[in-house]
Amino acid sequence: MNTKVMPVVTRKGQEDKGTGQSGGCVRVSGVGPQHTPATKIWFGKVSNEPGYRSYPHHHGEAETGGYVLKGKGRIYFGENWQEYLDMEEGDFIFVPPNWPHIEVNMSTTEELVWLTTRTPDNIVVNLPDVDDSILVGYRRA
C-alpha cells in the first residue's frame, strides 16, 4: 500500500499545545509527529512570560536549534547552574542532546519568544527544580 505524504499547514491558533512542557517555559508545536506527517523533526514556538523560567531539564537524544525572535534570554548550565549564556533577538543557539539547562526570560516586563527545532521530536525531561537564588542575575516579575 502506497501512502502519499502531502504538505500540511498548521494555522495560527491551531498549533498543538499537547507538547512537553517545563515550568514557565511554554511550547507549542507547528510541525511535529503528533499532528503532521513529520517523522524526524519538531518545530515550534517557545515563550516565557516576563520574569519566568523553565525547570531544569534536558532534551534527551534530541539535538535542538533555537532562534530568539523577541526578548532577552539566558540559559543556565554547569555545576550548580553557575554558568550561563545570554541571548537576544536575532541570536541562534545549538543545544546538544542530554545537556541539562534552565531557560530564563531576563526581562521582568517583556515576553521572551523563541523559535525552536528538534530532531527527532520535542523531548523534554524535567529535572529537580532549584531555588531562584542560585541563578546569578535572575529575578521574577
Side-chain angles (χ1 to χ4, degrees):
M1 184 175 206
N2 189 1
T3 304
K4 186 176 179 182
V5 177
M6 300 289 292
V8 173
V9 175
T10 302
R11 304 279 178 207
K12 179 179 178 180
Q14 295 179 345
E15 302 90 349
D16 179 24
K17 295 177 175 78
T19 186
Q21 304 296 335
S22 182
C25 188
V26 179
R27 297 174 180 86
V28 297
S29 177
V31 175
Q34 296 76 18
H35 59 101
T36 72
T39 60
K40 298 178 183 149
I41 189 169
W42 181 90
F43 182 54
K45 182 173 72 171
V46 182
S47 59
N48 298 62
E49 292 297 320
Y52 276 77
R53 67 173 178 88
S54 71
Y55 296 135
H57 66 283
H58 65 79
H59 300 289
E61 68 180 281
E63 290 187 327
T64 300
Y67 175 79
V68 181
L69 195 58
K70 175 182 170 186
K72 294 183 186 256
R74 178 174 282 180
I75 293 187
Y76 292 92
F77 61 98
E79 187 175 335
N80 208 29
W81 311 103
Q82 294 304 295
E83 297 179 67
Y84 56 85
L85 297 168
D86 288 325
M87 291 151 293
E88 60 185 31
E89 186 175 314
D91 290 343
F92 289 87
I93 185 168
F94 168 72
V95 176
N98 299 297
W99 188 63
H101 60 283
I102 300 171
E103 301 162 13
V104 169
N105 183 347
M106 292 303 286
S107 172
T108 58
T109 58
E110 304 293 323
E111 183 182 37
L112 172 64
V113 179
W114 315 70
L115 295 179
T116 303
T117 188
R118 292 199 177 89
T119 57
D121 198 355
N122 183 46
I123 300 166
V124 179
V125 179
N126 288 312
L127 303 170
D129 202 8
V130 297
D131 191 87
D132 290 349
S133 65
I134 70 165
L135 303 174
V136 176
Y138 171 67
R139 61 189 173 117
R140 290 192 182 261

